[in-house]
Structure formats: structure tokens, C-alpha cells
Amino acid sequence: MEKNKENTCFSSAERERYARQLAMPEFGEEAQLRLRAGSVLVIGAGGLGSPAALYLAAAGIGRLGIADGDRVDLSNLQRQVLHSTSRIGQLKATSAAGVLADLNPEIEIVTVPEFVTTDNIADLIADYDFVIDATDSFTAKRLINDTCVRAAKPLSHGAIWRQFGHTMTILPGTPCYSCLFDTDPVEATARGPLGATAGIIGTIQAAEAIKYISGTGSLLTGTLLRVDTFSMAFDKISVPLNPYCTNNHSYHDS
């Protein structure tokens, strides 16, 4: 879909669609224009990626990329709300694109029906303003984090397990996933997660991307936000730069 990103006018349909955001004194037209000109890549169209992509599309992000090489399975549907029973067997990226295009035909949706690897990750993130890590693999999370940090690409990290979840936002020069976790734990066996936990964390990741692109609010930089859905306890944990981090943060010292 061809769009003029320099156009500072909203169509009547856009004004109606985004009326609630446009009416917010903390948001308004300038923030909405920045969203329309912005782009976000969601890596993983599962439990975290589903709510993240839905809220980004609804908010009016100009270009939304969905990267996932997996296919929809019946066991996914308890938490992966982008998909439905009729789409079982479809590529998740394709399934997601259909739902998102129906939700908001004003935005551009890019499907990437493949998993991230060391060979493709740099090219995948290059053309986006912000990346959301919505994967369920420690190996993928470190790969995404380290590539984004070295490319100075803003990133939202998120993870869930059972009823627990956490997220943090990583900007150039701020603590990253590898500052927090210097080694990867053994991949957990399938226990959960509670579907609503994925919804909470994925929605927060969308909010972080929206705030970054629109230039509103404050971000979870240097802060790990943890949630226990069963007790509904939210905790913020300060995360400092780790001098032993495998990533080189020194390019921000100049």
C-alpha cells in the first residue's frame, strides 16, 4: 500500500478511527503523525506478538512487520489471539496479516514467514524504527538483542513462563538483555503460560513501541518490569549497565 508519509493531514476516516488518541492532551495530532510515519517489526506472532501486533495496528503505526516461520496449531489458540480455529495450519505471519489488515486497512503490513537466524536478522531489522522481541526461545532472544544493540536499534524484550512475565526496553546506550542475563538457562519444558499473562506483557510491549515512536511518556529503560498474574504483583527492578556485557556499549560514551 502506497502512502505519503510527508502528508500532515488526516483523512476523515483517520480522524474518526484515531479520535480517542487525537483527543488526548498527552498525545494529539503530532504524536499520531509520528506513529503514521513510524515502523515496528514484531518478531514472533504467538502469545506476546499477538496482542503487541493488534494494539500497534489499532493505534495506527504506519508500517508493521510480522516475522514468524511457524504455523498455527490448535494448542496455540489458548493465548495466541491473532489466530483462529479456521486458520490452523496456516503460516502465522500470513494468518496475522489477514486479521491486522481487517482491523486497520490504513496501515502497511509486511509479512516475513521465516524464523530469525544469524543470516537474516540484520537485514530483517534494518528498515524498522523499533523491534519487539516476542519469541519464545532464549537463543532467539539473545540473537535479537545483540544484533539490535550493535545496530543501535531500539528494542522491547519480553518473556513469559507459567503465570510470570517480564519486559524491558532497550535503547542505544541503555542496559540490554545481555547485561541482565550473561548466560541462557536451559530451555524450559512447556508449562503454561497462562494466556492472560501473554496478553499483559505483549500489550505493555506495544505501549512501549507506541510511546517511543510517538515521543510520548517514559520508557522501561534500565528497568525490568515483572508481573505475577496470580497475585497481580508488579515489580520494577533497576538494571544497570554491566561492564562485562558481551555487547560493546562504549560507542555511546563519545
Side-chain angles (χ1 to χ4, degrees):
M1 176 166 43
E2 185 177 346
K3 292 206 171 281
N4 181 3
K5 298 301 184 182
E6 300 302 318
N7 186 359
T8 58
C9 298
F10 295 107
S11 67
S12 58
E14 285 176 312
R15 286 198 174 276
E16 183 174 358
R17 180 182 292 274
Y18 307 124
R20 296 297 196 269
Q21 285 172 188
L22 292 170
M24 291 174 61
E26 305 87 353
F27 202 84
E29 293 199 2
E30 287 302 317
Q32 191 66 50
L33 285 169
R34 286 191 286 268
L35 270 188
R36 190 172 69 179
S39 59
V40 177
L41 174 65
V42 178
I43 304 178
L48 295 173
S50 288
L54 283 165
Y55 276 103
L56 285 166
I61 192 69
R63 182 160 53 91
L64 179 58
I66 306 293
D68 197 320
D70 201 5
R71 293 181 180 272
V72 180
D73 182 84
L74 180 60
S75 66
N76 299 151
L77 302 183
Q78 161 261 0
R79 63 202 177 279
Q80 300 183 17
V81 293
L82 261 177
H83 313 295
S84 62
T85 304
S86 65
R87 290 188 169 89
I88 289 173
Q90 284 189 17
L91 285 162
K92 289 183 181 179
T94 304
S95 169
V99 173
L100 298 170
D102 189 50
L103 174 63
N104 190 350
E106 300 285 346
I107 68 171
E108 178 185 0
I109 300 163
V110 180
T111 58
V112 185
E114 54 189 273
F115 296 109
V116 294
T117 67
T118 54
D119 293 329
N120 68 11
I121 181 65
D123 288 339
L124 285 180
I125 70 171
D127 295 330
Y128 291 89
D129 299 319
F130 193 95
V131 176
I132 289 181
D133 169 18
T135 64
D136 59 3
S137 160
F138 296 122
T139 300
K141 290 185 180 304
R142 191 170 301 280
L143 174 63
I144 295 165
N145 174 85
D146 292 355
T147 306
C148 285
V149 169
R150 291 164 189 170
K153 185 74 65 175
L155 165 72
S156 170
H157 159 75
I160 50 175
W161 183 61
R162 298 186 347 193
Q163 74 269 30
F164 306 103
H166 72 238
T167 183
M168 68 183 292
T169 298
I170 300 148
L171 302 184
T174 70
C176 71
Y177 175 85
S178 291
C179 288
L180 184 62
F181 303 109
D182 56 0
T183 60
D184 293 329
V186 176
E187 295 285 351
T189 55
R191 294 179 181 174
L194 187 72
T197 304
I200 291 168
I201 298 298
T203 301
I204 292 171
Q205 290 185 276
E208 291 290 284
I210 290 167
K211 288 185 295 180
Y212 175 81
I213 298 291
S214 66
T216 57
S218 58
L219 300 169
L220 288 169
T221 52
T223 303
L224 185 73
L225 177 66
R226 296 197 310 184
V227 60
D228 177 346
T229 310
F230 282 176
S231 66
M232 208 48 74
F234 285 77
D235 299 298
K236 283 185 175 181
I237 301 169
S238 178
V239 179
L241 282 170
N242 184 344
Y244 301 104
C245 177
T246 55
N247 291 307
N248 179 9
H249 296 274
S250 62
Y251 62 88
H252 300 287
D253 296 338
S254 58

